[in-house]
Amino acid sequence: MGELLKRYGGTLTGAFILLTGFWLLMLIILPNLALFETSFRPYLPVVDMGGPLDTYSVNNYAKFFESPGPMSIFGLELSIPLRAQTFINTVFYSIIVTVVAFVFSYPIAFYLAKVVRPKSVPTLILLLFIPLWVSEALRAFAWYIILTLNGPLNAVLVGMGVLEKAVRWQQGVLTNYDAIVIGLVYNYILFMLFPIYNAMTSLDSNQIEAAQDLGAPAWKTHLRIVLPHSKPGIASGSVMVFMLAAGSLLVPTTLGSTRSNWFTQTIQQAMLESQDWNTGAAYSFLYLLLCTVVVFGVMRLFKVRLSDIAR
C-alpha cells in the first residue's frame, strides 16, 4: 500500500483499490454466494420457486454419495458411490499430471536458470510461450488429431518399431486417461516451469560450483542444494497445475473416452444437460472443498507452507 501511494498518489491508489474491490465483489464474491445459496435449494419448476416446497436442505450434496458401485483401489475391491469414484479418478490423474509436469519442467528450468547464456534466455522463453498464443480449444483438438488411430504419433512409433501396430490412445493404452493426461500436461506445463525457474534464478551459482569442487555427484547437488532452494517454486507450480488440471473441462471432453469421466463433466451434465443448477452448484462447491483439502493435505505431507507458495 505504501509503495502504491508513493508511486501513484492518493487518487490513483484509491481508484485502483475501488476498481479491484468492485471486480472481486461483482465477478467473484456475489456470483459464488448466489451459487452457494442455490446449492441448498431443491430443483423445482419455475412456478414452485419461492413456494412451500422451496426449502433449504443438504439433499443436493447427498446425491454425491448415491449409487454405489464397485471400484478397485490398490487391489482392494470396494463399493464406492459413482460420483465419488469420478472424483477419486480426477484427483488421482490430476496428481499424475502434476508429477509428469514437474519431471519435464525441472531440467528445463535448471537449464534456463543455470546453464544457458543469459542473452539466450529471452529467446528460449519466447519459444516456450508460442504454444500459448493458440487457444486451449485448438491445442486440445490438435492433440486429438495427433492421438487418433491413424494419426502422426502412431505413424512415428510404428515406423520406429516402438509399437507393433497403431493403438487407440483416446481409449487408453496404460489407463483410460492416457490422452487426457497428455493433453493436460501439454496445456499446463508452463505453470510449473516458470515458478521453478523463478526460484532457481535466485540461487547463488557459487553453491553449485562449490559442491562440484568438493566432488559431489550431480544428483546429490540437486538433492541437497537445488531442490531445497526451489521448494517455493515447486510448491507454487504444483498447486497451480493440480487445480488447473482438476478444474479443466475442455481437454477431458475433447480427449476423453466413454470410459474416462472427469468430475467437471459431471458438473456440466448436471447444470447444462439436466438443467439442474442446484445439484450442479452443490457438486461445484463440494468439488472445490475436496480439492482444497487435497492440496492442503499434500502441503502438510511435504511440509510446505502457504508463505512458500506466495513467494
Side-chain angles (χ1 to χ4, degrees):
M1 179 69 72
E3 292 182 4
L4 285 176
L5 286 171
K6 291 179 181 179
R7 179 174 295 183
Y8 300 109
T11 303
L12 278 178
T13 300
F16 290 153
I17 294 173
L18 286 175
L19 289 173
T20 303
F22 178 80
W23 179 78
L24 290 172
L25 180 66
M26 300 302 296
L27 298 182
I28 298 178
I29 297 174
L30 290 181
N32 277 282
L33 286 177
L35 201 64
F36 183 68
E37 188 266 344
T38 301
S39 69
F40 289 98
R41 297 170 61 182
Y43 174 51
L44 297 171
V46 176
V47 293
D48 292 329
M49 292 182 180
L53 298 177
D54 196 356
T55 58
Y56 291 103
S57 69
V58 294
N59 292 337
N60 294 326
Y61 290 89
K63 294 177 183 178
F64 180 84
F65 303 98
E66 295 176 352
S67 306
M71 183 179 185
S72 178
I73 300 179
F74 300 113
L76 298 175
E77 292 294 334
L78 303 174
S79 180
I80 299 176
L82 296 180
R83 295 178 186 88
Q85 292 186 28
T86 304
F87 170 77
I88 292 170
N89 284 329
T90 302
V91 168
F92 176 76
Y93 287 104
S94 295
I95 293 174
I96 295 296
V97 169
T98 304
V99 172
V100 173
F102 168 73
V103 169
F104 282 101
S105 296
Y106 182 84
I108 299 173
F110 182 78
Y111 177 76
L112 290 173
K114 296 301 173 186
V115 178
V116 72
R117 292 182 303 172
K119 291 183 179 180
S120 303
V121 171
T123 303
L124 295 175
I125 290 178
L126 179 63
L127 292 174
L128 290 172
F129 265 116
I130 287 176
L132 293 183
W133 296 351
V134 181
S135 71
E136 186 175 352
L138 290 178
R139 280 179 276 155
F141 279 113
W143 273 107
Y144 179 84
I145 295 171
I146 292 171
L147 298 174
T148 54
L149 184 64
N150 297 318
L153 180 61
N154 277 325
V156 170
L157 294 178
V158 172
M160 294 174 60
V162 177
L163 296 176
E164 293 183 2
K165 60 179 182 179
V167 297
R168 298 183 182 274
W169 292 95
Q170 277 91 357
Q171 301 299 322
V173 178
L174 300 175
T175 69
N176 296 330
Y177 294 83
D178 293 347
I180 295 177
V181 169
I182 293 171
L184 290 175
V185 169
Y186 178 78
N187 272 306
Y188 302 130
I189 189 170
L190 293 186
F191 291 94
M192 177 72 76
L193 191 153
F194 286 114
I196 298 176
Y197 164 75
N198 186 55
M200 286 183 179
T201 53
S202 62
L203 174 63
D204 188 353
S205 299
N206 291 327
Q207 296 184 43
I208 300 174
E209 294 176 4
Q212 294 172 344
D213 292 341
L214 292 172
W219 67 268
K220 186 171 288 187
T221 302
H222 283 275
L223 185 63
R224 297 289 181 86
I225 298 174
V226 183
L227 269 173
H229 186 86
S230 306
K231 188 172 72 169
I234 295 170
S236 178
S238 296
V239 170
M240 285 194 292
V241 171
F242 173 80
M243 295 302 290
L244 286 169
S248 177
L249 176 62
L250 183 61
V251 172
T253 302
T254 304
L255 298 177
S257 68
T258 55
R259 295 178 294 176
S260 59
N261 190 23
W262 217 245
F263 198 80
T264 49
Q265 293 174 285
T266 300
I267 297 172
Q268 182 197 40
Q269 290 164 5
M271 284 190 163
L272 301 183
E273 297 179 17
S274 301
Q275 292 294 303
D276 187 353
W277 279 68
N278 306 83
T279 300
Y283 289 169
S284 299
F285 277 99
L286 191 60
Y287 191 41
L288 176 62
L289 176 63
L290 292 174
C291 284
T292 303
V293 170
V294 171
V295 168
F296 277 94
V298 174
M299 287 171 57
R300 187 175 181 83
L301 179 64
F302 289 98
K303 299 179 180 179
V304 175
R305 297 170 298 179
L306 279 176
S307 58
D308 295 329
I309 296 174
R311 279 163 45 187

